C-alpha cells in the first residue's frame, strides 16, 4: 500500500533520475486551489475509503510517480476503493504485475487477486465480515519507521480471511479468523495447510493463536510467547488515528540487543496517518535502513518538508545533530490540493552526497 510520507527508496540508494527530474524553464500556470477541508476529514479514519486513507483530495482515479522507468500505480473506483495496485516496468513490460480488488455493496473488500503473466490469479484472498461495528486489528500490525502499511492495521467488521496460493500439484491455504470475546478482546487464530490435487485432506497444518487486548473499542496491547513482537501500548486521536504507538520487536540484524522498543509519535492531523517522530530503542542498522531516531516536519497542508534521522548509537535529545537531513520544497498543487511536483533533496544512505530530484506525480481524476 501507499507509503505515507516515506523517503523515496531510489533516493536513499542514490539512484539517478531522468530528464523529467529537471525543473522546466517555463513557470507553471497559476492554479487556484480549493484548500477547504473535505467532509471526510471529520470521518473516523478506519471508516474512510482507501482513497481517503491515502490522503488524496478530490475524485482521484489513478496516480503514479512519472520520473522513473519503473513505478507503482494505484487505481480507485468512483467511490474511492482501491481496485488495482500495479507494478509497471516500461522497459520490460513482461515484468509487470498487479493486484486487483473487488468490493460488496457496503464497501467491504471481498477479494484480492494477483496477476502476473497468467490470465487467471494463482494467488488470491477472500474476506468475510461478521464483526459488525468492530475495529478489527489485523495479524500484521507493525509499521516500520516510515509507517508503511499503517493504514491497513485495522479493518472494520472483518471476521475471516482465506488466502489461496495455487501450486502445480497442490494449493496452499492460510486462514485467519477474528473472534471477539465477552471481555471485548480479540482472539486471532491463524491456520496454514496444503491440499494436494485430487485430495480433500489437509497436509502439514500449523496453527497460531493469540489475543489482542482492547480498550474503548480499539486494540490496545498484545503479548504472546508465540510472536516475535509485542504491542506495549497504543493511544488514539479522536478521529481514530494512532497517536502514540509502542511495541517491542526482535532485531533481526542485531541479535545481541534482544527486542527493540519502537516508539512512534504520530502527527495530529485530519488527513492521513504519518509519523512525526520515531525512536528505535535499540541498535540502528544500515543493512535494513533502520535509523536510531527520526524527527519530521510538515507544512500547513500536512505535506512533509523535512526529515532528520540518525544511525548512530546516541538516543535523540533536544538539539541533537542528525546524521542525515532530507528536505521537500517547491511544492506545486492541482486544483484539489494534491501535490503534482516537488523538489526532493535527499542524502543517499549508502553512498552519501546529496541527490536532488524534481519529482513529478501524474494524477487522473473522475470528472
Amino acid at each position: 500500500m501507499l507509503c505515507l510520507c516515506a523517503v523515496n527508496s531510489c533516493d536513499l540508494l542514490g539512484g539517478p533520475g531522468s530528464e523529467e527530474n529537471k525543473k522546466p524553464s517555463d513557470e507553471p500556470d497559476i492554479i487556484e486551489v480549493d484548500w477547504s477541508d473535505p467532509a471526510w476529514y471529520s470521518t473516523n479514519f478506519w471508516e474512510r475509503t482507501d482513497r481517503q486513507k491515502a490522503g488524496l483530495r478530490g475524485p482521484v482515479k489513478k496516480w503514479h510517480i512519472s520520473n522513473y522507468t519503473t513505478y507503482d500505480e494505484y487505481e480507485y473506483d468512483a467511490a474511492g476503493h482501491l481496485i488495482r495496485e500495479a507494478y509497471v516496468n516500461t522497459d520490460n513490460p513482461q515484468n509487470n504485475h498487479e493486484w486487483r480488488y473487488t468490493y460488496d455493496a457496503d464497501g467491504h473488500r471481498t477479494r484480492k487477486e494477483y496477476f502476473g503473466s497468467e490470465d487467471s490469479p494463482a494467488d488470491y484472498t477472500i474476506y468475510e465480515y461478521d464483526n459488525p461495528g468492530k475495529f478489527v486489528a489485523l495479524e500484521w500490525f507493525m509499521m516500520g519507521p516510515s509507517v508503511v502499511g499503517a493504514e491497513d492495521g485495522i479493518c472494520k467488521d472483518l471476521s475471516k480471511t482465506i488466502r489461496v496460493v495455487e501450486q502445480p500439484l497442490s494449493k496452499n491455504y492460510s486462514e485467519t479468523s477474528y473472534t471477539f470475546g465477552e471481555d471485548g478482546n480479540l482472539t486471532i487464530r491463524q491456520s496454514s495447510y496444503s491440499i494436494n490435487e485430487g485430495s480433500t485432506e489437509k497436509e502439514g497444518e500449523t496453527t497460531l493463536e493469540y489475543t489482542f487486548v482492547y480498550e474503548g473499542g480499539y486494540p490496545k496491547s498484545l503479548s504472546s510467547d508465540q510472536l516475535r513482537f509485542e504491542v506495549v501500548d497504543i493511544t488514539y486521536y479522536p478521529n481514530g488515528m494512532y497517536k502514540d504507538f509502542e511495541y517491542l520487536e526482535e532485531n533481526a540484524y542485531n541479535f545481541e540487543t534482544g527486542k527493540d522498543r519502537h516508539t512512534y509519535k504520530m502527527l495530529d492531523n485530519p488527513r492521513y496517518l504519518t509519523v512525526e517522530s520515531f525512536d528505535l530503542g535499540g541498535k540502528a542498522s544500515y543493512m535494513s535502513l533502520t535509523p536510531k531516531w527520526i524527527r519530521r516536519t510538515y507544512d500547513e497542508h500536512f505535506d512533509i518538508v523535512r526529515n532528520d534521522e540518525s544511525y548512530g548509537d546516541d538516543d535523540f535529545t533536544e538539539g541533537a545533530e542528525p546524521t542525515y537531513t532530507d528536505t521537500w520544497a517547491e511544492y506545486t498543487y492541482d486544483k484539489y490540493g494534491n501535490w503534482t511536483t516537488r523538489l526532493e533533496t535527499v542524502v543517499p544512505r549508502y553512498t552519501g552526497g546529496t541527490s536532488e530530484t524534481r519529482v513529478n506525480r501524474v494524477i487522473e481524476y473522475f470528472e
Side-chain angles (χ1 to χ4, degrees):
M1 298 294 293
L2 180 65
C3 180
L4 304 181
C5 291
V7 176
N8 186 286
S9 59
C10 294
D11 292 330
L12 293 178
L13 300 175
S18 69
E19 288 298 314
E20 293 184 68
N21 299 341
K22 297 181 180 179
K23 185 176 180 180
S25 57
D26 295 331
E27 291 297 323
D29 295 333
I30 300 299
I31 296 176
E32 185 175 347
V33 181
D34 179 7
W35 287 117
S36 59
D37 288 354
W40 56 265
Y41 271 20
S42 60
T43 301
N44 183 286
F45 182 80
W46 307 110
E47 296 176 323
R48 299 179 184 181
T49 66
D50 300 305
R51 182 169 60 203
Q52 292 166 354
K53 288 180 181 178
L56 296 168
R57 298 162 58 98
V60 173
K61 181 179 182 180
K62 64 173 66 174
W63 73 270
H64 71 275
I65 301 297
S66 64
N67 289 65
Y68 310 104
T69 57
T70 62
Y71 58 84
D72 295 323
E73 182 175 69
Y74 303 88
E75 183 174 355
Y76 304 87
D77 63 15
H81 305 117
L82 180 68
I83 58 173
R84 176 175 164 269
E85 187 175 4
Y87 169 80
V88 179
N89 187 324
T90 57
D91 284 344
N92 298 291
Q94 67 272 17
N95 293 328
N96 293 356
H97 56 267
E98 62 185 51
W99 290 96
R100 301 176 192 171
Y101 307 90
T102 55
Y103 299 83
D104 63 19
D106 295 321
H108 294 129
R109 181 177 295 173
T110 57
R111 193 174 179 91
K112 172 183 177 180
E113 299 175 314
Y114 174 81
F115 289 85
S117 58
E118 68 279 358
D119 294 329
S120 59
D123 184 341
Y124 57 91
T125 301
I126 301 169
Y127 302 81
E128 299 178 7
Y129 298 87
D130 291 317
N131 283 316
K134 300 289 188 181
F135 294 114
V136 180
L138 302 189
E139 70 275 10
W140 185 86
F141 212 77
M142 289 73 66
M143 303 181 292
S146 296
V147 299
V148 177
E151 73 277 10
D152 293 325
I154 293 175
C155 182
K156 192 177 181 184
D157 304 336
L158 185 68
S159 60
K160 188 174 185 179
T161 63
I162 304 173
R163 181 180 181 183
V164 182
V165 180
E166 296 186 358
Q167 305 292 343
L169 299 176
S170 66
K171 293 183 179 180
N172 296 331
Y173 292 82
S174 298
E175 295 188 20
T176 305
S177 63
Y178 305 88
T179 307
F180 285 89
E182 294 182 359
D183 57 3
N185 296 330
L186 174 67
T187 296
I188 301 175
R189 186 178 189 275
Q190 298 171 298
S191 176
S192 299
Y193 57 90
S194 63
I195 296 180
N196 294 326
E197 184 178 356
S199 173
T200 59
E201 297 293 325
K202 295 180 179 180
E203 302 287 344
E205 184 172 16
T206 61
T207 59
L208 178 65
E209 185 173 296
Y210 46 92
T211 299
F212 228 119
V213 176
Y214 270 56
E215 184 177 289
Y218 290 103
K220 182 71 172 177
S221 62
L222 167 64
S223 180
S224 172
D225 57 9
Q226 299 185 65
L227 302 173
R228 62 183 296 270
F229 69 93
E230 174 184 347
V231 178
V232 178
D233 186 50
I234 310 172
T235 62
Y236 297 83
Y237 288 112
N239 63 5
M241 290 185 188
Y242 307 135
K243 180 180 180 181
D244 296 291
F245 194 115
E246 183 176 352
Y247 72 91
L248 306 177
E249 183 180 15
E250 294 176 3
N251 192 316
Y253 297 97
N254 299 287
F255 299 102
E256 74 279 1
T257 64
K259 288 185 177 180
D260 295 335
R261 183 176 292 268
H262 301 265
T263 304
Y264 297 85
K265 172 68 175 179
M266 307 298 287
L267 184 68
D268 185 5
N269 80 102
R271 188 170 184 179
Y272 46 22
L273 278 171
T274 188
V275 68
E276 186 171 35
S277 66
F278 165 79
D279 292 278
L280 178 64
K283 189 174 180 60
S285 171
Y286 278 102
M287 183 182 300
S288 61
L289 286 179
T290 303
K292 180 70 172 179
W293 54 261
I294 291 174
R295 296 294 182 273
R296 288 183 175 167
T297 306
Y298 300 83
D299 64 17
E300 67 273 23
H301 309 304
F302 316 110
D303 289 317
I304 190 169
V305 295
R306 182 182 174 102
N307 178 85
D308 294 318
E309 64 184 59
S310 174
Y311 291 78
D313 293 329
D314 295 333
D315 292 327
F316 176 84
T317 57
E318 200 64 37
E321 290 293 329
T323 305
Y324 300 98
T325 296
D326 311 312
T327 60
W328 292 259
E330 299 180 20
Y331 278 93
T332 63
Y333 296 90
D334 61 25
K335 66 180 182 179
Y336 295 104
N338 295 312
W339 70 265
T340 54
T341 68
R342 64 185 184 186
L343 182 65
E344 296 184 357
T345 305
V346 176
V347 180
R349 302 310 190 246
Y350 291 142
T351 61
T354 299
S355 173
E356 187 174 278
T357 306
R358 172 70 55 177
V359 175
N360 303 286
R361 182 162 70 161
V362 176
I363 306 176
E364 295 182 30
Y365 288 91
F366 292 98
E367 298 288 2

